[in-house]
Amino acid sequence: DDTTRTGGGGNPDLKPYAATNFGLSAEWYFASGSYLSGELFYRDITNYIGNTTQEQTITNQLTGQTNTYSVSRPTNGGKASVTGFSVTAQANLIWGFGIQSNYTFASGETPVAGQGLPYLSRNTYNIVPYFEMGPFQARVSYNYRSKYFYGFGRLQSANITDGYRQLDFSATYNINEHFRITANASNLLDETYYQYSSTPAAPTALYKNGRVFSLTGTARF
């Protein structure tokens, strides 16, 4: 991009993401359609893929001008580890109502002090209330993930994506065994992806996908 003098490139020396995973899990089914489960996990990562931005002098073949660009490339991150746990629960309540939920805590350690594993949020969770009775089904899904590091920017500053939440809705009505109507709504909170480099008060990018609504009909014979 000649306007911002930024660019992206590949890395022929890039190694695949490799890890050995250990986990201990347990499940308890305390009622029909209801359960509670948990897992402790440890990921021994022998190579993860990061991202770095470096200044590079490039000549534009069309204009003949030579400028310095900030070029982002994937890089081998080396060894790392992730330790954490997750809890999942589902409960059928009364009159067709129920709820699903899960929470995951993950802590990553990398060779670079003070930087987490790329794209790893420390806290993620979702809560899904639902209703299922006869031909009608509906659910609301609330999802959240905390901020995460995704790469190095100019002058090796840490690029961060801030915490993000999303609220979705879906409903289905089976008219009969052949016809079904489904309504979906996503990103009802109209959230924005907010990214910054080291300082939250100075954003580097804002992304807004907007709300999306759909209504579909399905016929099966």
Side-chain angles (χ1 to χ4, degrees):
D1 189 330
D2 284 330
T3 302
T4 60
R5 293 186 180 177
T6 59
N11 182 356
D13 298 320
L14 197 66
K15 298 177 182 178
Y17 200 112
T20 302
N21 303 320
F22 302 91
L24 177 65
S25 62
E27 299 177 348
W28 176 38
Y29 293 86
F30 55 88
S32 177
S34 302
Y35 70 93
L36 177 66
S37 67
E39 180 188 14
L40 298 174
F41 57 83
Y42 175 76
R43 321 294 192 210
D44 183 16
I45 301 170
T46 53
N47 179 65
Y48 69 93
I49 297 174
N51 189 283
T52 59
T53 301
Q54 296 179 333
E55 301 298 314
Q56 185 174 345
T57 301
I58 300 175
T59 300
N60 189 317
Q61 299 299 319
L62 297 177
T63 64
Q65 293 182 336
T66 299
N67 290 304
T68 300
Y69 294 80
S70 294
V71 181
S72 177
R73 300 179 186 276
T75 57
N76 296 309
K79 292 183 177 295
S81 64
V82 177
T83 305
F85 68 89
S86 64
V87 179
T88 302
Q90 175 175 316
N92 284 332
L93 304 176
I94 58 174
W95 305 321
F97 290 96
I99 189 168
Q100 300 172 331
S101 62
N102 65 64
Y103 168 75
T104 300
F105 170 84
S107 177
E109 294 186 5
T110 67
V112 182
Q115 300 301 331
L117 196 67
Y119 304 101
L120 179 70
S121 291
R122 181 174 287 265
N123 299 288
T124 59
Y125 65 83
N126 65 67
I127 302 172
V128 187
Y130 62 86
F131 174 81
E132 296 180 356
M133 181 173 287
F136 183 72
Q137 303 175 11
R139 61 186 55 218
V140 176
S141 176
Y142 178 84
N143 305 281
Y144 171 81
R145 66 179 298 181
S146 59
K147 67 179 183 179
Y148 58 87
F149 164 77
Y150 68 89
F152 290 105
R154 295 179 177 178
L155 303 178
Q156 293 301 294
S157 60
N159 287 339
I160 304 293
T161 297
D162 207 1
Y164 184 83
R165 59 179 184 162
Q166 182 163 324
L167 181 67
D168 302 325
F169 169 80
S170 66
T172 300
Y173 181 73
N174 296 303
I175 300 173
N176 54 41
E177 62 179 337
H178 299 295
F179 298 98
R180 180 174 62 191
I181 297 176
T182 302
N184 289 289
S186 62
N187 194 24
L188 288 171
L189 300 176
D190 198 24
E191 282 291 285
T192 300
Y193 281 101
Y194 184 94
Q195 296 181 327
Y196 60 90
S197 186
S198 295
T199 304
T204 57
L206 300 172
Y207 300 98
K208 182 181 285 290
N209 296 321
R211 300 181 179 93
V212 179
F213 302 91
S214 66
L215 180 65
T216 60
T218 304
R220 296 179 296 178
F221 297 97

Coordinates of all heavy atoms in Angstrom, one line a residue, residues 132-213:
E132 N -36.9 -25.2 23.7 CA -37.2 -26.2 22.7 C -38.5 -26.9 23.1 O -38.5 -27.6 24.2 CB -36.0 -27.2 22.6 CG -34.7 -26.6 22.1 CD -33.6 -27.7 22.0 OE1 -33.8 -28.8 22.5 OE2 -32.5 -27.3 21.5
M133 N -39.5 -26.8 22.3 CA -40.7 -27.5 22.6 C -41.5 -27.7 21.3 O -41.8 -26.7 20.6 CB -41.6 -26.8 23.6 CG -42.9 -27.5 24.0 SD -43.8 -26.7 25.3 CE -42.8 -27.1 26.7
G134 N -41.9 -28.9 21.1 CA -42.6 -29.2 19.8 C -41.9 -28.8 18.6 O -40.7 -29.0 18.5
P135 N -42.5 -28.1 17.7 CA -41.9 -27.7 16.4 C -41.1 -26.4 16.5 O -40.5 -26.0 15.5 CB -43.1 -27.5 15.5 CG -44.2 -27.0 16.4 CD -44.0 -27.7 17.7
F136 N -41.0 -25.8 17.7 CA -40.4 -24.5 17.8 C -39.1 -24.6 18.7 O -39.1 -25.3 19.7 CB -41.3 -23.5 18.5 CG -40.7 -22.1 18.6 CD1 -40.6 -21.3 17.4 CD2 -40.3 -21.6 19.8 CE1 -40.0 -20.0 17.5 CE2 -39.8 -20.3 19.9 CZ -39.6 -19.6 18.7
Q137 N -38.0 -24.0 18.2 CA -36.7 -23.9 18.9 C -36.2 -22.5 18.8 O -36.3 -21.9 17.7 CB -35.7 -24.9 18.3 CG -36.1 -26.3 18.3 CD -35.1 -27.2 17.6 OE1 -34.0 -26.8 17.3 NE2 -35.5 -28.4 17.3
A138 N -35.6 -22.0 19.9 CA -35.0 -20.7 19.8 C -33.9 -20.6 20.8 O -33.9 -21.3 21.9 CB -36.1 -19.6 20.2
R139 N -32.9 -19.8 20.5 CA -31.8 -19.6 21.5 C -31.1 -18.3 21.3 O -31.1 -17.7 20.2 CB -30.7 -20.8 21.3 CG -30.1 -20.9 20.0 CD -29.2 -22.1 19.9 NE -29.9 -23.3 20.3 CZ -29.5 -24.3 21.1 NH1 -28.2 -24.3 21.5 NH2 -30.2 -25.3 21.3
V140 N -30.5 -17.8 22.4 CA -29.8 -16.6 22.4 C -28.3 -17.0 22.8 O -28.2 -17.7 23.8 CB -30.3 -15.5 23.3 CG1 -29.4 -14.3 23.4 CG2 -31.7 -15.1 22.9
S141 N -27.3 -16.4 22.1 CA -26.0 -16.8 22.4 C -25.2 -15.5 22.7 O -25.1 -14.6 21.8 CB -25.3 -17.5 21.2 OG -24.0 -17.8 21.5
Y142 N -24.6 -15.5 23.9 CA -23.7 -14.3 24.3 C -22.3 -14.9 24.4 O -22.0 -15.8 25.2 CB -24.2 -13.7 25.6 CG -23.3 -12.6 26.1 CD1 -23.5 -11.3 25.6 CD2 -22.2 -12.8 27.0 CE1 -22.7 -10.2 26.0 CE2 -21.4 -11.8 27.4 CZ -21.6 -10.5 26.9 OH -20.8 -9.5 27.3
N143 N -21.4 -14.3 23.6 CA -20.0 -14.8 23.6 C -19.0 -13.6 24.0 O -19.3 -12.5 23.6 CB -19.6 -15.3 22.2 CG -20.5 -16.4 21.7 OD1 -20.4 -17.5 22.1 ND2 -21.5 -16.0 20.9
Y144 N -18.0 -14.0 24.7 CA -17.0 -13.0 25.1 C -15.6 -13.6 25.1 O -15.4 -14.7 25.5 CB -17.3 -12.4 26.5 CG -16.2 -11.5 27.0 CD1 -16.1 -10.2 26.6 CD2 -15.2 -12.0 27.9 CE1 -15.1 -9.4 27.1 CE2 -14.2 -11.2 28.3 CZ -14.1 -9.9 28.0 OH -13.1 -9.1 28.4
R145 N -14.6 -12.8 24.6 CA -13.2 -13.2 24.7 C -12.4 -11.9 25.1 O -12.7 -10.8 24.6 CB -12.7 -13.8 23.5 CG -12.6 -12.9 22.3 CD -12.0 -13.6 21.1 NE -10.6 -14.0 21.3 CZ -9.8 -14.6 20.4 NH1 -10.3 -14.9 19.2 NH2 -8.6 -15.0 20.7
S146 N -11.5 -12.1 26.0 CA -10.7 -11.0 26.5 C -9.6 -10.6 25.5 O -9.4 -11.3 24.5 CB -10.1 -11.3 27.9 OG -9.2 -12.5 27.8
K147 N -8.9 -9.5 25.7 CA -7.9 -9.0 24.8 C -6.9 -10.1 24.5 O -6.6 -11.0 25.3 CB -7.3 -7.8 25.3 CG -6.4 -8.0 26.5 CD -5.8 -6.6 27.0 CE -4.9 -6.8 28.2 NZ -4.3 -5.6 28.6
Y148 N -6.2 -10.0 23.3 CA -5.2 -10.9 23.0 C -4.1 -10.2 22.1 O -4.4 -9.3 21.4 CB -5.7 -12.2 22.3 CG -6.5 -11.9 21.0 CD1 -5.8 -11.8 19.8 CD2 -7.8 -11.7 21.0 CE1 -6.5 -11.5 18.6 CE2 -8.6 -11.5 19.9 CZ -7.9 -11.4 18.7 OH -8.6 -11.2 17.5
F149 N -2.9 -10.7 22.2 CA -1.7 -10.3 21.4 C -1.8 -11.0 20.1 O -2.0 -12.2 20.1 CB -0.5 -10.6 22.2 CG 0.8 -10.5 21.4 CD1 1.4 -9.3 21.0 CD2 1.4 -11.7 21.0 CE1 2.5 -9.3 20.2 CE2 2.6 -11.7 20.2 CZ 3.1 -10.5 19.9
Y150 N -1.6 -10.2 19.0 CA -1.6 -10.9 17.7 C -0.4 -10.7 16.8 O -0.3 -11.3 15.7 CB -2.9 -10.5 16.9 CG -2.9 -9.1 16.4 CD1 -2.4 -8.8 15.2 CD2 -3.5 -8.1 17.2 CE1 -2.5 -7.4 14.7 CE2 -3.6 -6.8 16.7 CZ -3.1 -6.5 15.5 OH -3.2 -5.2 15.1
G151 N 0.6 -9.9 17.3 CA 1.8 -9.7 16.5 C 2.6 -8.5 16.9 O 2.1 -7.7 17.8
F152 N 3.7 -8.3 16.3 CA 4.5 -7.1 16.6 C 4.4 -6.1 15.5 O 4.4 -6.4 14.3 CB 6.0 -7.5 16.7 CG 6.3 -8.3 18.0 CD1 6.6 -9.6 17.9 CD2 6.4 -7.7 19.2 CE1 6.9 -10.4 19.0 CE2 6.7 -8.4 20.3 CZ 6.9 -9.7 20.2
G153 N 4.2 -4.8 15.9 CA 4.1 -3.8 14.9 C 5.4 -3.0 14.7 O 6.5 -3.6 14.9
R154 N 5.3 -1.8 14.3 CA 6.5 -1.0 14.0 C 7.2 -0.8 15.3 O 6.7 -0.7 16.4 CB 6.1 0.4 13.5 CG 5.4 0.2 12.1 CD 5.0 1.6 11.5 NE 4.4 1.5 10.2 CZ 4.0 2.5 9.5 NH1 4.0 3.7 10.0 NH2 3.5 2.3 8.3
L155 N 8.6 -0.8 15.2 CA 9.5 -0.7 16.4 C 9.2 -1.7 17.4 O 9.5 -1.6 18.6 CB 9.3 0.7 17.0 CG 9.6 1.9 16.0 CD1 9.3 3.2 16.8 CD2 11.0 1.9 15.5
Q156 N 8.7 -2.9 16.9 CA 8.5 -4.1 17.8 C 7.5 -3.8 18.9 O 7.6 -4.4 20.0 CB 9.8 -4.6 18.3 CG 10.7 -5.2 17.3 CD 10.1 -6.3 16.5 OE1 9.8 -7.4 17.1 NE2 9.9 -6.1 15.2
S157 N 6.6 -2.9 18.7 CA 5.5 -2.7 19.6 C 4.5 -3.8 19.6 O 4.4 -4.5 18.5 CB 4.8 -1.3 19.4 OG 4.2 -1.4 18.1
A158 N 3.8 -4.1 20.7 CA 2.9 -5.2 20.8 C 1.5 -4.8 20.2 O 0.9 -3.8 20.7 CB 2.7 -5.6 22.2
N159 N 1.1 -5.5 19.2 CA -0.2 -5.3 18.6 C -1.3 -6.1 19.4 O -1.1 -7.3 19.5 CB -0.3 -5.7 17.1 CG 0.5 -4.7 16.3 OD1 0.7 -3.5 16.7 ND2 0.9 -5.1 15.1
I160 N -2.3 -5.4 19.8 CA -3.3 -6.1 20.7 C -4.7 -5.9 20.1 O -5.0 -4.8 19.6 CB -3.3 -5.4 22.1 CG1 -1.9 -5.6 22.7 CG2 -4.4 -6.1 23.0 CD1 -1.5 -7.0 23.0
T161 N -5.5 -6.9 20.1 CA -7.0 -6.8 19.9 C -7.7 -6.8 21.2 O -7.5 -7.7 22.0 CB -7.5 -8.0 19.0 OG1 -6.8 -8.0 17.7 CG2 -9.0 -7.9 18.8
D162 N -8.5 -5.8 21.4 CA -9.2 -5.6 22.7 C -10.3 -6.6 22.9 O -10.6 -7.3 21.9 CB -9.8 -4.2 22.7 CG -9.9 -3.7 24.2 OD1 -9.5 -4.4 25.1 OD2 -10.4 -2.6 24.4
G163 N -10.8 -6.7 24.1 CA -11.8 -7.7 24.4 C -13.0 -7.5 23.5 O -13.3 -6.3 23.1
Y164 N -13.7 -8.5 23.2 CA -14.8 -8.5 22.2 C -16.0 -9.3 22.7 O -15.8 -10.4 23.2 CB -14.4 -9.0 20.8 CG -15.4 -8.9 19.7 CD1 -15.6 -7.7 19.1 CD2 -16.2 -10.0 19.4 CE1 -16.6 -7.6 18.1 CE2 -17.2 -9.9 18.4 CZ -17.3 -8.7 17.7 OH -18.3 -8.5 16.7
R165 N -17.2 -8.8 22.5 CA -18.4 -9.6 22.9 C -19.4 -9.6 21.7 O -19.3 -8.7 20.9 CB -19.1 -8.9 24.1 CG -19.5 -7.5 23.9 CD -20.2 -6.9 25.1 NE -20.7 -5.5 24.8 CZ -21.6 -4.9 25.4 NH1 -22.2 -5.5 26.5 NH2 -21.9 -3.7 25.1
Q166 N -20.2 -10.6 21.7 CA -21.2 -10.7 20.6 C -22.4 -11.4 21.1 O -22.4 -12.4 21.8 CB -20.6 -11.5 19.4 CG -21.5 -11.6 18.2 CD -20.8 -12.0 16.9 OE1 -19.7 -11.6 16.7 NE2 -21.5 -12.8 16.1
L167 N -23.6 -10.9 20.6 CA -24.9 -11.4 21.0 C -25.6 -11.9 19.7 O -25.8 -11.0 18.8 CB -25.7 -10.4 21.7 CG -27.1 -10.9 22.2 CD1 -27.0 -11.9 23.3 CD2 -27.9 -9.7 22.7
D168 N -26.0 -13.1 19.6 CA -26.7 -13.7 18.4 C -28.0 -14.3 18.9 O -28.2 -14.7 20.0 CB -25.8 -14.7 17.7 CG -24.5 -14.2 17.3 OD1 -24.4 -13.0 16.9 OD2 -23.5 -15.0 17.4
F169 N -28.9 -14.4 17.9 CA -30.2 -15.0 18.1 C -30.6 -15.9 16.9 O -30.3 -15.6 15.8 CB -31.3 -14.0 18.3 CG -32.7 -14.5 18.3 CD1 -33.2 -15.1 19.5 CD2 -33.5 -14.5 17.2 CE1 -34.5 -15.6 19.5 CE2 -34.8 -15.0 17.2 CZ -35.3 -15.6 18.3
S170 N -31.2 -17.1 17.2 CA -31.7 -17.9 16.2 C -33.0 -18.6 16.6 O -33.2 -18.9 17.8 CB -30.7 -19.0 15.7 OG -30.5 -19.9 16.8
A171 N -33.9 -18.8 15.7 CA -35.2 -19.5 16.0 C -35.6 -20.3 14.7 O -35.4 -19.9 13.6 CB -36.3 -18.5 16.3
T172 N -36.2 -21.5 15.0 CA -36.6 -22.4 14.0 C -38.0 -22.9 14.3 O -38.3 -23.3 15.4 CB -35.6 -23.6 13.8 OG1 -34.3 -23.1 13.5 CG2 -36.1 -24.5 12.7
Y173 N -38.8 -22.9 13.2 CA -40.2 -23.5 13.4 C -40.4 -24.5 12.3 O -40.3 -24.2 11.1 CB -41.3 -22.4 13.3 CG -42.7 -22.9 13.5 CD1 -43.1 -23.3 14.7 CD2 -43.5 -23.1 12.4 CE1 -44.4 -23.8 14.9 CE2 -44.8 -23.6 12.5 CZ -45.2 -24.0 13.8 OH -46.5 -24.5 14.0
N174 N -40.7 -25.7 12.7 CA -40.9 -26.8 11.7 C -42.4 -26.8 11.5 O -43.2 -27.3 12.3 CB -40.5 -28.1 12.3 CG -39.0 -28.2 12.5 OD1 -38.2 -28.0 11.6 ND2 -38.5 -28.4 13.7
I175 N -42.8 -26.4 10.3 CA -44.2 -26.3 9.9 C -44.8 -27.7 9.8 O -45.9 -28.0 10.4 CB -44.4 -25.6 8.6 CG1 -43.9 -24.1 8.7 CG2 -45.9 -25.6 8.2 CD1 -43.9 -23.4 7.4
N176 N -44.1 -28.6 9.2 CA -44.4 -30.0 9.2 C -43.1 -30.8 8.8 O -42.0 -30.2 8.9 CB -45.5 -30.3 8.1 CG -45.2 -29.8 6.8 OD1 -44.0 -29.9 6.3 ND2 -46.2 -29.2 6.1
E177 N -43.2 -32.0 8.5 CA -42.0 -32.8 8.2 C -41.2 -32.4 7.0 O -40.1 -32.8 6.7 CB -42.3 -34.3 8.1 CG -43.2 -34.6 7.0 CD -43.6 -36.1 7.0 OE1 -42.7 -36.9 7.5 OE2 -44.6 -36.5 6.4
H178 N -41.9 -31.5 6.1 CA -41.2 -31.1 4.9 C -40.8 -29.7 4.9 O -39.9 -29.3 4.1 CB -42.2 -31.3 3.7 CG -42.6 -32.7 3.5 ND1 -41.8 -33.8 3.2 CD2 -43.9 -33.3 3.7 CE1 -42.4 -34.9 3.1 NE2 -43.7 -34.7 3.4
F179 N -41.4 -28.8 5.7 CA -41.1 -27.4 5.6 C -40.7 -26.8 6.9 O -41.2 -27.2 8.0 CB -42.4 -26.6 5.1 CG -42.8 -27.0 3.7 CD1 -43.9 -27.9 3.6 CD2 -42.2 -26.5 2.6 CE1 -44.3 -28.3 2.3 CE2 -42.7 -26.8 1.3 CZ -43.7 -27.7 1.2
R180 N -39.6 -25.9 6.8 CA -39.1 -25.3 8.1 C -38.7 -23.9 7.8 O -38.2 -23.5 6.7 CB -37.8 -26.1 8.5 CG -37.2 -25.5 9.7 CD -36.0 -26.4 10.2 NE -35.0 -26.5 9.2 CZ -34.0 -27.4 9.2 NH1 -33.9 -28.3 10.2 NH2 -33.1 -27.4 8.3
I181 N -38.9 -23.0 8.7 CA -38.6 -21.6 8.6 C -37.5 -21.3 9.7 O -37.7 -21.7 10.9 CB -39.8 -20.7 8.8 CG1 -40.8 -20.9 7.7 CG2 -39.4 -19.2 8.8 CD1 -42.1 -20.1 7.8
T182 N -36.5 -20.6 9.4 CA -35.4 -20.2 10.3 C -35.1 -18.7 10.2 O -35.0 -18.2 9.1 CB -34.1 -21.0 10.0 OG1 -34.4 -22.4 10.0 CG2 -33.0 -20.7 11.0
A183 N -35.0 -18.1 11.4 CA -34.6 -16.7 11.5 C -33.3 -16.6 12.3 O -33.2 -17.2 13.3 CB -35.8 -15.9 12.2
N184 N -32.4 -15.8 11.8 CA -31.2 -15.6 12.5 C -30.9 -14.1 12.6 O -31.2 -13.3 11.7 CB -30.0 -16.2 11.7 CG -30.1 -17.7 11.8 OD1 -29.8 -18.3 12.8 ND2 -30.4 -18.4 10.7
A185 N -30.2 -13.7 13.7 CA -29.7 -12.3 13.9 C -28.4 -12.4 14.5 O -28.3 -13.1 15.6 CB -30.7 -11.5 14.7
S186 N -27.4 -11.8 14.0 CA -26.0 -11.9 14.5 C -25.5 -10.5 14.8 O -25.9 -9.5 14.2 CB -25.0 -12.6 13.6 OG -24.9 -11.9 12.4
N187 N -24.6 -10.4 15.8 CA -24.0 -9.2 16.3 C -25.0 -8.1 16.6 O -25.0 -7.0 16.2 CB -23.0 -8.6 15.2 CG -22.1 -7.5 15.7 OD1 -21.9 -7.5 16.9 ND2 -21.6 -6.7 14.8
L188 N -26.0 -8.5 17.5 CA -27.1 -7.6 17.8 C -26.6 -6.4 18.6 O -27.2 -5.4 18.7 CB -28.1 -8.4 18.7 CG -29.0 -9.4 17.9 CD1 -29.8 -10.2 18.8 CD2 -29.9 -8.6 16.9
L189 N -25.4 -6.5 19.3 CA -24.9 -5.4 20.0 C -24.1 -4.4 19.1 O -23.6 -3.4 19.6 CB -24.0 -5.9 21.2 CG -24.7 -6.8 22.2 CD1 -23.7 -7.3 23.2 CD2 -25.8 -6.1 22.9
D190 N -23.9 -4.8 17.9 CA -23.2 -4.0 16.9 C -21.8 -3.6 17.4 O -21.4 -2.5 17.4 CB -24.0 -2.7 16.6 CG -23.5 -2.0 15.3 OD1 -22.9 -2.7 14.5 OD2 -23.7 -0.8 15.2
E191 N -21.1 -4.7 17.8 CA -19.7 -4.5 18.4 C -18.7 -4.1 17.4 O -18.9 -4.3 16.2 CB -19.3 -5.8 19.1 CG -19.9 -6.0 20.5 CD -19.4 -5.0 21.5 OE1 -18.3 -5.1 22.0 OE2 -20.2 -4.0 21.8
T192 N -17.6 -3.5 17.9 CA -16.5 -3.1 17.0 C -15.2 -3.8 17.5 O -14.9 -3.8 18.7 CB -16.3 -1.6 17.1 OG1 -17.5 -0.9 16.7 CG2 -15.1 -1.1 16.2
Y193 N -14.5 -4.4 16.5 CA -13.1 -4.9 16.8 C -12.2 -3.7 17.0 O -12.1 -2.8 16.1 CB -12.6 -5.8 15.7 CG -13.1 -7.2 15.7 CD1 -14.2 -7.5 14.9 CD2 -12.6 -8.1 16.6 CE1 -14.7 -8.8 14.9 CE2 -13.1 -9.4 16.6 CZ -14.1 -9.8 15.7 OH -14.6 -11.0 15.7
Y194 N -11.5 -3.6 18.1 CA -10.7 -2.4 18.5 C -9.3 -2.9 18.6 O -9.0 -3.8 19.5 CB -11.2 -1.8 19.8 CG -10.5 -0.5 20.2 CD1 -10.9 0.7 19.8 CD2 -9.3 -0.6 21.0 CE1 -10.3 1.9 20.2 CE2 -8.7 0.5 21.4 CZ -9.1 1.8 21.0 OH -8.5 2.9 21.4
Q195 N -8.4 -2.5 17.8 CA -7.0 -2.9 17.9 C -6.1 -1.7 18.2 O -6.3 -0.6 17.7 CB -6.5 -3.6 16.6 CG -7.3 -4.9 16.3 CD -6.9 -5.5 15.0 OE1 -6.5 -4.9 14.1 NE2 -6.9 -6.9 15.0
Y196 N -5.0 -2.0 19.0 CA -4.1 -0.9 19.3 C -2.7 -1.5 19.4 O -2.5 -2.7 19.5 CB -4.5 -0.2 20.6 CG -4.6 -1.1 21.8 CD1 -3.5 -1.3 22.6 CD2 -5.8 -1.7 22.1 CE1 -3.6 -2.1 23.7 CE2 -5.9 -2.6 23.3 CZ -4.7 -2.8 24.1 OH -4.8 -3.6 25.2
S197 N -1.7 -0.6 19.4 CA -0.3 -1.0 19.5 C 0.3 -0.5 20.8 O 0.6 0.7 20.9 CB 0.5 -0.5 18.3 OG 1.8 -1.0 18.3
S198 N 0.3 -1.3 21.8 CA 0.9 -1.1 23.1 C 0.0 -0.1 24.0 O -0.2 -0.4 25.2 CB 2.3 -0.5 23.1 OG 3.2 -1.4 22.5
T199 N -0.5 1.0 23.4 CA -1.3 1.9 24.2 C -2.8 1.9 23.8 O -3.1 2.2 22.6 CB -0.8 3.4 23.9 OG1 0.6 3.4 24.2 CG2 -1.5 4.4 24.8
P200 N -3.7 1.5 24.7 CA -5.1 1.4 24.3 C -5.7 2.7 23.9 O -6.7 2.7 23.1 CB -5.7 0.9 25.7 CG -4.6 0.2 26.4 CD -3.4 1.0 26.0
A201 N -5.2 3.8 24.3 CA -5.8 5.1 24.0 C -5.4 5.5 22.5 O -6.0 6.5 22.0 CB -5.3 6.2 24.9
A202 N -4.5 4.8 21.9 CA -4.1 5.1 20.5 C -4.5 3.9 19.6 O -3.6 3.1 19.3 CB -2.7 5.5 20.4
P203 N -5.7 3.8 19.0 CA -6.1 2.7 18.2 C -5.3 2.7 16.9 O -5.0 3.7 16.3 CB -7.6 2.9 18.0 CG -7.8 4.4 18.1 CD -6.8 4.8 19.2
T204 N -5.1 1.5 16.4 CA -4.4 1.3 15.1 C -5.5 0.9 14.0 O -5.2 1.0 12.8 CB -3.3 0.3 15.1 OG1 -3.8 -1.0 15.6 CG2 -2.2 0.8 16.0
A205 N -6.6 0.2 14.5 CA -7.6 -0.2 13.5 C -8.9 -0.4 14.2 O -8.9 -0.8 15.4 CB -7.2 -1.5 12.9
L206 N -10.0 -0.1 13.5 CA -11.3 -0.3 14.0 C -12.1 -1.1 12.9 O -12.1 -0.7 11.8 CB -12.0 1.0 14.3 CG -11.4 1.9 15.4 CD1 -12.1 3.2 15.4 CD2 -11.5 1.2 16.8
Y207 N -12.7 -2.2 13.3 CA -13.5 -3.0 12.3 C -14.9 -3.2 12.9 O -15.1 -3.6 14.0 CB -12.9 -4.3 12.1 CG -11.5 -4.3 11.6 CD1 -10.4 -4.4 12.4 CD2 -11.2 -4.1 10.2 CE1 -9.1 -4.4 12.0 CE2 -9.9 -4.1 9.7 CZ -8.8 -4.2 10.6 OH -7.6 -4.2 10.1
K208 N -15.9 -2.8 12.0 CA -17.3 -3.0 12.4 C -18.0 -3.8 11.3 O -18.1 -3.3 10.2 CB -18.0 -1.7 12.7 CG -19.4 -1.8 13.1 CD -20.1 -0.4 13.4 CE -19.6 0.2 14.6 NZ -20.1 -0.5 15.9
N209 N -18.5 -5.0 11.7 CA -19.2 -5.8 10.7 C -20.7 -5.5 10.6 O -21.4 -5.8 9.6 CB -19.0 -7.3 11.0 CG -17.6 -7.7 10.9 OD1 -16.9 -7.3 10.0 ND2 -17.2 -8.6 11.8
G210 N -21.3 -4.8 11.6 CA -22.7 -4.5 11.6 C -23.5 -5.7 12.0 O -23.1 -6.8 12.2
R211 N -24.8 -5.4 12.2 CA -25.8 -6.4 12.5 C -26.2 -7.1 11.2 O -26.3 -6.5 10.1 CB -27.0 -5.8 13.2 CG -26.7 -5.1 14.5 CD -28.0 -4.6 15.1 NE -27.7 -3.9 16.4 CZ -27.5 -2.6 16.5 NH1 -27.5 -1.8 15.5 NH2 -27.2 -2.1 17.7
V212 N -26.5 -8.4 11.3 CA -26.9 -9.2 10.1 C -28.2 -10.0 10.5 O -28.2 -10.6 11.5 CB -25.8 -10.2 9.7 CG1 -26.3 -11.0 8.5 CG2 -24.5 -9.4 9.3
F213 N -29.2 -9.8 9.6 CA -30.5 -10.5 9.8 C -30.8 -11.4 8.6 O -30.5 -11.0 7.5 CB -31.6 -9.5 10.1 CG -31.4 -8.6 11.2 CD1 -30.8 -7.4 11.1 CD2 -31.8 -8.9 12.5 CE1 -30.6 -6.5 12.1 CE2 -31.6 -8.1 13.6 CZ -31.0 -6.9 13.4

